[in-house]
Amino acid sequence: MIPIKLTLEGFYSYQDKQVIDFTQLIQAGLFGIFGKVGSGKSSILEAISFGLYGESERLNAQDKRAYNMMNLKSDRMSIDFEFSNFNGEKYRIYREFKRNSKRFEDVKRGDAVLYHWKDDAWIPLPDLQVEKVIGLSYENFKRTIIIPQGKFKEFIELGGRDRTKMMQEIFGLDRFDLAAKTKALYSVTRQRYDHLQGQLQRYALLTQEQIEEKKVAHQAEEKQLNQLVETFKKEQELFQQLKAVKSDFDTLENSKKEVLDLEAQEVQIQTLQRELTQYEQVDKAFRSLVKEQEQISAKIVEKQEVLAKKTQELQQKQAQYTHVKEEFAQVEKQFESLEIEKTTLYELQLILSIKQTEEARKALGERLQKGKEVVVQTMSELQENQQAIVAIEQQIQALKNNRMDPMRLMAIDKWFTDWAYLQQNIQDNQTKKSQLQDEIQKGTKALEALDFVNEEDWRLYLTTKRELNQEIQRLLVQELDQLRLSQQLAHYATALKEGEACPLCGALEHPAILAATDVSTVLGELERKQEKLRQETQVLDQREREVLALVDKRQLWMVQLSEINDQAEQKQKQLLQLLDSFVWTEIEKGNKNQFEELKIQAVQINQALEQADKQLQERIKKTEGIRSNVELYKAKLAEIELDQARLEADIAAKGKQIRLLNLPTTLQQEKETITQTITAKEQQIAQVDHSYKSLMQLMQQLAPALAALETEQNSLQQTLVELTQAKETLQTQIQQLLHTFQLEDLTLVKEILAKNIAVEETRERIQAFILKLEVLRNQVKQLTAKLESVAFDPERFLVQTQRVETLDQQVKNQSTSVVRLLSEIERMEQDYKEKASLLTEFDQVEKRLKNINLLDNMFKGAGFVNYVSSIYLRNLCDSANLRFHRLTNNQLSLQLNESNEFEIIDYLNNGKSRSVKTLSGGQSFQVSLSLALALAESVQSLSKSDKNFFFIDEGFGTQDTESVNIVFETLSSLLKENRIVGIISHVDELQERIPLSLSIVKDEERGSIIRTS
């Protein structure tokens, strides 16, 4: 991640909008951000982290983060950060917060948008996928790119699990975590294995012999079916002949009955046919005219009703318009004289305002007099406080003259502390020395008790003893094997019988059977010797362990004793050097009591100084308050005088506007009287104005309404005339048609039309009846002629029907049996093929399951990932040591122990290891810097980016001058590696050596301000 531009506003101490353009800083390669403590340096890094991830190192979500981050003088906080990621693509994150105008502590989250620079424009992305864009989580971002204060040592102090998790995320070690994949693959394969096993259970009893038996049964059943089918065909032909004759006789009888039924309905059909003809003629001639006459009659009634309503409404509107016109004539006269009344009202309001202004001017005069008295009193109080301040300053100066230099006092105190520390060390060393000598003496006596003289003789004794025991053990085993063999042969010999086979050689004859002796006693004795020898060996091993443990302990104690003697000699030299370094003349050399008295005296003077300084600050604060009050009172008095002049000018200006009323006379009236007169005038004017406008508006509304009503009335009358004429014309046409069709009146026509006969349906019904009757008559004639010489036996037909039905059922049953056998054969053959296929697949899946199970055991848990992580971690440690050796002048080295925890190799102490927690503050910074640079290099190589960025926010204050030079040279050398490093510090020496940097200055009014230097 490479920063491009950061814009801050309302964030912590950054009140005004501040912009940091990183372009020139990045080109420089090494740059710094400097400023005093509390100026806002670290807030820049926090703004970048919070802008990207919405997380803060100082505050969490429960700490009212938004409120505490926002500047107390600001109502809005925004962070706008542009950067490029490991692929060189430009992105921009924008976050905004706003303060609730009604509740100061309520800060609402505003926009939070991630943009991507594409096609020369910022394109907003739908999600805040910052981790995906940068390739790091927040925790690893602050370990590898931006390291905030207090977090520089976090990586070396992480536990094994957390460090492994971090390495997994940064280097993508999840690709080595194959446990889940193998487990899932094993689960799928196991399911397939179980499924195949279950399927094979279905075919466990299926064989080729069963299939052949079924085929034989099928052939027998099929032969029987063919015989039944042949018989059924012959009987079926005879049955069909009898059935055809019976069908003709039944048809003839039914047709005769239907002819009789239809002939009975013939008269009714003829009547219906005549009615249909009359209905069609009347419908065609009269229906449209009758319908039109009814519609015109309905419209005439409707229009007459509307005309009556409109006539009544017109009369009402005319009466209302006449009444409103009379009222408007009366109000119009009052409205013409309204201007004079309004002028009078305005002058009364001016006079009322003049009276109120006079009262305000009088009140200001009283306030002015009182204010002058307060100013005089406050000035006197100010002079008294200024004199008190001078007296306190003189007292403070006198105390400072009598005070001892604090640095000199601290130096003496450090000398006595070092003296006590060295004496205590010498005493502790002596105690440890005595303890170690006692332990060495006890260990020597314990070794003598175990017959130990020296290690070489002891080793020779052990070797000889073990070889002897092993030879004896070998001989005992041989003898025991021989005896057990003899005992077993004797057991076989006693069990031999003539004619039975020998279990060893198989012979049936046994001419010379072994005569065995009892060896049980000898076996028991040898086994006891073997057990005794095993116990002696265990005792020998136990003595060996005890002796070696005592030898190791005695050797360790002797090494520790030597180290303590060296330390005691060194501490004694340091004690003599400390005595020579005592150069102070205020007290005797080493006189602790005199020094304690000197410290008490210094404390008393300091307390007196603090008390006096506190009094001085209180007096100064009080004086400043009084001075501020004086200035405030004077400014207020000037405002009052200005207000008085403004009020007098206002009274004069308003008096000149009075024309109709007598100003002096009206001013003598009470305010309440003038107010009542004004209220009455306002009500009168408002009433007249309202009445005039209302009546005018009403007249304007009534006039067009009257005209519209008159027009509607005329239109309705004309429509009624036209409808009446149309009705009369229709009546004439209907009378002519009645005469033509010889009908008495229109009532008879309506009765005929009311029948609503379905013409097409009725006509089709009549035609169908006539056709059916004619067809049936012809059918009866033909069948009578056909069956004139044919006979039919019902009993013979019944017998033949039963025989055919019986044969048909037998054929169906036999066919079902044949089909069932054929289906079973096909199913069994298919199952047999499926069984063979399943067995082949089962063998393959079984082999695959064994292989996957082996892989699952290999990758189970996170063992393989932890192994890969440890390799990455050791490579990281080796890379960090290249810089750590230079930073520590080859005195220290970093390594990993068996638990993958960091340790320090101390070459000044015989290359022994110790915990990283024992390092000093400066050394911790050096090792953390080396590790952080190595980690950042690994990330850079992983992302294949040309440049990488790294920010440091602590550590330089813990380094001495030489270490600062080495660190600076190390950071400068990174320029050759395309590494960009930013430094945050308050160390002036660094600022002088870095050519391009930012300075943070905190202004009391404007907050933190960023300047380029």
Side-chain angles (χ1 to χ4, degrees):
M1 191 278 296
I2 305 295
I4 298 174
K5 187 169 73 171
L6 174 65
T7 304
L8 296 175
E9 185 176 2
F11 184 76
Y12 284 131
S13 59
Y14 290 89
Q15 179 181 343
D16 295 339
K17 182 177 181 180
Q18 299 292 316
V19 179
I20 301 178
D21 187 351
F22 286 97
T23 306
Q24 292 184 346
L25 300 176
I26 296 300
Q27 290 176 354
L30 177 63
F31 65 91
I33 299 178
F34 297 95
K36 296 181 178 179
V37 175
S39 61
K41 303 183 300 297
S42 299
S43 298
I44 295 175
L45 299 192
E46 188 169 358
I48 295 175
S49 300
F50 184 71
L52 290 172
Y53 294 94
E55 295 290 341
S56 169
E57 190 62 29
R58 299 191 217 179
L59 303 168
N60 55 39
Q62 287 74 34
D63 293 333
K64 296 175 65 176
R65 180 162 59 195
Y67 168 76
N68 288 307
M69 277 186 173
M70 186 179 288
N71 189 285
L72 295 177
K73 295 181 180 180
S74 301
D75 295 328
R76 174 180 171 275
M77 177 178 73
S78 66
I79 300 172
D80 192 349
F81 179 52
E82 296 179 21
F83 63 96
S84 60
N85 69 347
F86 54 87
N87 288 329
E89 297 177 320
K90 285 175 62 178
Y91 289 87
R92 172 189 171 200
I93 185 76
Y94 179 80
R95 293 183 186 271
E96 183 181 29
F97 294 81
K98 293 181 180 179
R99 194 187 302 279
N100 191 330
S101 59
K102 296 181 180 179
R103 292 179 55 201
F104 185 78
E105 295 185 357
D106 184 14
V107 177
K108 299 291 185 183
R109 180 187 294 272
D111 296 332
V113 186
L114 179 65
Y115 297 89
H116 183 202
W117 182 259
K118 194 173 182 181
D119 298 331
D120 295 331
W122 288 114
I123 309 299
L125 300 180
D127 300 313
L128 293 177
Q129 297 180 338
V130 176
E131 289 191 17
K132 184 177 179 181
V133 169
I134 296 181
L136 293 171
S137 66
Y138 171 67
E139 293 298 326
N140 292 330
F141 179 80
K142 65 183 185 180
R143 291 170 183 151
T144 59
I145 293 182
I146 290 182
I147 304 181
Q149 287 183 349
K151 295 295 178 179
F152 211 72
K153 296 193 300 180
E154 185 177 273
F155 180 54
I156 62 173
E157 295 177 354
L158 277 177
R161 179 181 298 178
D162 293 335
R163 189 183 294 113
T164 299
K165 183 178 179 182
M166 174 181 171
M167 300 295 286
Q168 277 184 258
E169 179 180 329
I170 292 177
F171 295 106
L173 302 186
D174 289 336
R175 63 184 187 276
F176 298 110
D177 187 3
L178 305 176
K181 294 181 180 178
T182 53
K183 189 174 184 66
L185 192 59
Y186 179 82
S187 176
V188 171
T189 309
R190 182 68 192 187
Q191 288 178 2
R192 184 58 184 165
Y193 176 83
D194 294 340
H195 180 67
L196 290 171
Q197 200 173 39
Q199 286 183 304
L200 286 170
Q201 290 293 328
R202 293 167 47 198
Y203 311 125
L205 303 178
L206 181 63
T207 62
Q208 187 67 36
E209 289 75 12
Q210 289 178 327
I211 298 174
E212 294 300 327
E213 289 176 2
K214 287 287 182 182
K215 287 182 177 179
V216 172
H218 173 260
Q219 290 174 357
E221 292 288 332
E222 193 173 25
K223 183 177 180 181
Q224 187 177 355
L225 173 63
N226 292 334
Q227 294 173 355
L228 283 172
V229 169
E230 191 67 27
T231 305
F232 174 74
K233 286 181 179 179
K234 294 177 181 179
E235 296 296 329
Q236 177 71 7
E237 288 178 2
L238 179 59
F239 171 73
Q240 291 297 332
Q241 293 173 2
L242 292 173
K243 185 178 178 182
V245 174
K246 181 180 181 298
S247 176
D248 288 343
F249 276 100
D250 290 342
T251 303
L252 177 60
E253 190 65 28
N254 292 332
S255 297
K256 289 179 179 180
K257 289 180 181 179
E258 287 187 24
V259 168
L260 292 175
D261 291 339
L262 290 175
E263 287 176 346
Q265 300 175 19
E266 193 171 8
V267 176
Q268 182 183 354
I269 293 298
Q270 290 173 353
T271 303
L272 181 60
Q273 189 173 17
R274 288 192 297 271
E275 288 182 358
L276 176 61
T277 302
Q278 184 188 33
Y279 177 79
E280 285 182 310
Q281 293 173 350
V282 172
D283 182 72
K284 184 176 181 182
F286 287 95
R287 182 176 292 278
S288 60
L289 294 175
V290 170
K291 185 176 181 181
E292 187 176 358
Q293 185 185 38
E294 290 174 352
Q295 290 176 349
I296 290 174
S297 300
K299 286 183 179 180
I300 289 173
V301 173
E302 180 186 354
K303 295 297 181 182
Q304 287 173 344
E305 291 176 356
V306 174
L307 178 61
K309 289 181 181 178
K310 293 297 180 181
T311 303
Q312 184 181 1
E313 188 177 350
L314 177 61
Q315 292 172 355
Q316 291 174 354
K317 289 288 183 183
Q318 287 175 341
Q320 185 182 3
Y321 182 76
T322 304
H323 177 70
V324 170
K325 191 173 182 181
E326 292 172 356
E327 285 186 356
F328 180 74
Q330 295 175 2
V331 173
E332 190 175 17
K333 295 178 181 179
Q334 297 176 0
F335 185 77
E336 291 174 354
S337 62
L338 207 60
E339 288 301 323
I340 298 174
E341 294 297 329
K342 288 183 179 179
T343 304
T344 305
L345 174 62
Y346 175 68
E347 291 186 359
L348 283 171
Q349 291 172 340
L350 285 175
I351 292 171
L352 181 61
S353 176
I354 288 171
K355 285 185 70 69
Q356 293 172 344
T357 306
E358 283 285 354
E359 292 175 358
R361 186 172 63 82
K362 184 177 179 182
L364 285 176
E366 294 174 356
R367 286 180 59 197
L368 184 62
Q369 183 59 34
K370 291 180 181 179
K372 290 179 178 179
E373 295 174 359
V374 171
V375 169
V376 173
Q377 183 180 353
T378 308
M379 288 294 293
S380 175
E381 187 178 354
L382 179 62
Q383 291 177 356
E384 292 177 1
N385 275 280
Q386 288 174 341
Q387 293 173 359
I389 288 172
V390 173
I392 294 172
E393 288 176 345
Q394 292 174 353
Q395 179 185 356
I396 290 173
Q397 188 60 41
L399 289 170
K400 285 182 178 179
N401 293 335
N402 295 327
R403 182 180 62 176
M404 184 179 178
D405 184 8
M407 298 303 295
R408 191 174 180 84
L409 195 64
M410 288 172 63
I412 299 174
D413 185 50
K414 183 178 182 305
W415 187 92
F416 278 105
T417 302
D418 294 344
W419 174 265
Y421 174 74
L422 287 172
Q423 286 185 326
Q424 184 63 40
N425 276 351
I426 291 171
Q427 185 177 352
D428 292 344
N429 283 346
Q430 189 63 38
T431 303
K432 290 179 182 178
K433 182 177 179 181
S434 301
Q435 293 173 350
L436 286 172
Q437 288 174 344
D438 293 341
E439 293 292 341
I440 291 171
Q441 188 176 3
K442 290 178 183 178
T444 303
K445 289 181 179 179
L447 287 171
E448 291 173 354
L450 293 171
D451 299 331
F452 179 84
V453 179
N454 58 66
E455 189 170 355
E456 184 177 356
D457 293 342
W458 174 252
R459 295 285 183 188
L460 181 62
Y461 164 74
L462 285 177
T463 303
T464 305
K465 186 69 176 173
R466 281 201 176 93
E467 289 176 351
L468 178 62
N469 287 348
Q470 289 174 358
E471 183 63 24
I472 295 171
Q473 175 71 14
R474 186 180 64 79
L475 294 172
L476 285 173
V477 168
Q478 289 179 353
E479 192 171 355
L480 280 169
D481 291 343
Q482 188 66 33
L483 288 172
R484 288 189 183 114
L485 179 62
S486 299
Q487 189 182 38
Q488 190 67 30
L489 289 172
H491 174 71
Y492 285 133
T494 56
L496 288 174
K497 293 181 180 180
E498 197 68 28
E500 294 182 358
C502 174
L504 297 178
C505 65
L508 299 177
E509 297 179 356
H510 319 294
I513 298 175
L514 175 68
T517 58
D518 187 10
V519 294
S520 300
T521 305
V522 179
L523 277 172
E525 183 64 27
L526 288 175
E527 287 174 349
R528 283 192 293 274
K529 287 181 180 180
Q530 193 178 34
E531 177 62 23
K532 183 178 179 182
L533 185 65
R534 185 183 65 78
Q535 292 176 354
E536 288 178 356
T537 303
Q538 290 179 346
V539 171
L540 185 65
D541 291 342
Q542 179 64 28
R543 285 185 63 191
E544 180 184 15
R545 287 193 293 272
E546 292 177 359
V547 168
L548 291 177
L550 287 171
V551 169
D552 290 341
K553 286 183 180 179
R554 189 176 68 171
Q555 182 64 28
L556 177 63
W557 291 331
M558 293 177 69
V559 171
Q560 291 177 350
L561 182 63
S562 175
E563 290 177 352
I564 287 174
N565 288 332
D566 294 341
Q567 291 175 4
E569 183 178 352
Q570 185 178 3
K571 295 298 180 184
Q572 194 64 39
K573 290 180 180 178
Q574 291 176 357
L575 189 65
L576 294 174
Q577 292 174 357
L578 190 63
L579 279 172
D580 295 339
S581 66
F582 194 92
V583 294
W584 299 280
T585 58
E586 290 84 348
I587 58 174
E588 296 177 1
K589 181 182 293 188
N591 192 330
K592 186 69 176 291
N593 294 331
Q594 286 185 357
F595 177 64
E596 292 298 331
E597 292 176 358
L598 193 64
K599 284 171 64 177
I600 292 171
Q601 181 181 356
V603 169
Q604 291 174 348
I605 292 174
N606 285 334
Q607 289 176 349
L609 274 171
E610 288 177 2
Q611 185 64 28
D613 188 62
K614 184 178 179 181
Q615 292 176 357
L616 178 62
Q617 295 302 322
E618 288 176 354
R619 281 288 183 179
I620 291 173
K621 185 176 180 181
K622 185 176 180 181
T623 302
E624 290 301 321
I626 295 171
R627 182 179 287 107
S628 298
N629 288 339
V630 170
E631 298 298 328
L632 181 63
Y633 295 156
K634 287 181 178 180
K636 202 66 179 176
L637 288 176
E639 288 179 7
I640 292 173
E641 290 176 349
L642 187 61
D643 288 343
Q644 273 188 324
R646 182 179 55 78
L647 291 176
E648 289 175 356
D650 187 42
I651 291 170
K654 288 178 179 177
K656 293 179 181 179
Q657 297 181 40
I658 307 300
R659 295 286 187 271
L660 297 177
L661 298 178
N662 189 327
L663 180 59
T665 303
T666 309
L667 282 174
Q668 292 176 1
Q669 296 179 9
E670 296 294 332
K671 281 173 60 178
E672 290 74 11
T673 303
I674 298 173
T675 303
Q676 292 173 0
T677 304
I678 289 171
T679 303
K681 286 282 185 188
E682 288 175 343
Q683 292 175 352
Q684 179 186 356
I685 292 169
Q687 184 178 2
V688 172
D689 187 61
H690 177 69
S691 298
Y692 179 83
K693 291 179 180 178
S694 300
L695 291 171
M696 175 70 76
Q697 185 178 4
L698 189 55
M699 285 177 65
Q700 291 173 350
Q701 293 173 353
L702 288 173
L706 281 171
L709 285 172
E710 289 175 354
T711 303
E712 267 189 271
Q713 185 185 43
N714 296 332
S715 176
L716 287 170
Q717 289 173 348
Q718 181 64 30
T719 303
L720 281 171
V721 171
E722 294 173 355
L723 289 172
T724 304
Q725 291 174 353
K727 183 178 180 182
E728 291 174 354
T729 304
L730 285 173
Q731 187 66 32
T732 303
Q733 293 176 358
I734 291 171
Q735 289 300 326
Q736 292 174 354
L737 288 172
L738 287 173
H739 182 267
T740 302
F741 287 98
Q742 298 179 357
L743 297 172
E744 296 178 2
D745 56 15
L746 192 60
T747 304
L748 183 58
V749 172
K750 291 182 178 179
E751 289 176 358
I752 294 171
L753 293 175
K755 294 179 180 180
N756 287 326
I757 297 174
V759 176
E760 294 298 328
E761 183 180 344
T762 305
R763 183 182 291 112
E764 289 176 0
R765 177 186 166 192
I766 293 169
Q767 291 174 352
F769 176 83
I770 295 170
L771 178 62
K772 184 176 182 182
L773 180 60
E774 185 66 26
V775 169
L776 286 172
R777 283 173 176 168
N778 291 332
Q779 191 176 23
V780 169
K781 184 178 179 180
Q782 291 173 0
L783 287 173
T784 302
K786 178 181 178 181
L787 300 174
E788 185 175 359
S789 60
V790 177
F792 174 71
D793 186 357
E795 292 182 359
R796 184 185 176 191
F797 178 77
L798 180 61
V799 171
Q800 187 65 26
T801 300
Q802 291 174 350
R803 178 167 176 74
V804 168
E805 289 177 352
T806 302
L807 286 171
D808 183 52
Q809 186 63 39
Q810 290 176 355
V811 170
K812 288 180 180 178
N813 293 339
Q814 189 66 22
S815 297
T816 302
S817 177
V818 171
V819 171
R820 178 176 56 78
L821 284 171
L822 182 61
S823 177
E824 285 185 13
I825 292 170
E826 290 176 351
R827 178 184 57 79
M828 291 173 72
E829 287 179 341
Q830 182 63 34
D831 289 349
Y832 194 77
K833 291 179 182 178
E834 181 69 18
K835 180 180 179 181
S837 175
L838 288 173
L839 283 171
T840 302
E841 185 180 359
F842 182 78
D843 292 340
Q844 295 174 352
V845 172
E846 188 176 26
K847 293 177 182 178
R848 179 175 174 79
L849 188 65
K850 291 178 181 178
N851 294 333
I852 295 174
N853 188 34
L854 180 62
L855 289 174
D856 186 44
N857 291 331
M858 290 174 59
F859 296 120
K860 187 174 293 182
F864 189 61
V865 176
N866 292 337
Y867 169 71
V868 176
S869 176
S870 65
I871 294 175
Y872 274 78
L873 202 58
R874 292 184 187 281
N875 293 337
L876 191 67
C877 185
D878 295 339
S879 179
N881 275 326
L882 297 177
R883 290 192 176 90
F884 189 46
H885 290 163
R886 172 169 171 73
L887 292 174
T888 60
N889 292 320
N890 294 319
Q891 296 176 2
L892 301 176
S893 181
L894 188 67
Q895 75 169 12
L896 286 169
N897 59 19
E898 296 177 354
S899 302
N900 274 345
E901 302 290 338
F902 284 120
E903 288 183 345
I904 295 298
I905 303 299
D906 192 345
Y907 296 112
L908 296 180
N909 289 287
N910 299 323
K912 292 184 177 180
S913 63
R914 55 188 172 98
S915 171
V916 292
K917 297 179 180 179
T918 62
L919 294 174
S920 65
Q923 291 171 334
S924 294
F925 170 75
Q926 291 171 344
V927 70
S928 300
L929 175 63
S930 301
L931 264 176
L933 290 172
L935 186 61
E937 286 172 353
S938 300
V939 172
Q940 178 185 2
S941 63
L942 190 67
S943 63
K944 300 179 180 179
S945 58
D946 296 334
K947 291 186 177 182
N948 210 338
F949 181 70
F950 185 68
F951 229 129
I952 305 173
D953 187 14
E954 62 176 298
F956 297 100
T958 61
Q959 306 293 300
D960 55 27
T961 303
E962 183 180 357
S963 297
V964 169
N965 290 334
I966 295 174
V967 170
F968 185 80
E969 291 175 6
T970 300
L971 296 178
S972 299
S973 66
L974 296 177
L975 297 177
K976 301 176 182 178
E977 305 170 16
N978 273 341
R979 299 295 307 282
I980 303 161
V981 180
I983 300 170
I984 290 184
S985 178
H986 58 273
V987 178
D988 295 335
E989 182 181 352
L990 279 176
Q991 186 173 8
E992 294 174 358
R993 301 176 65 174
I994 293 178
L996 189 60
S997 63
L998 301 177
S999 296
I1000 313 298
V1001 180
K1002 192 168 184 180
D1003 187 270
E1004 293 183 0
E1005 295 296 329
R1006 297 171 56 194
S1008 297
I1009 300 173
I1010 301 173
R1011 296 173 180 169
T1012 304
S1013 59

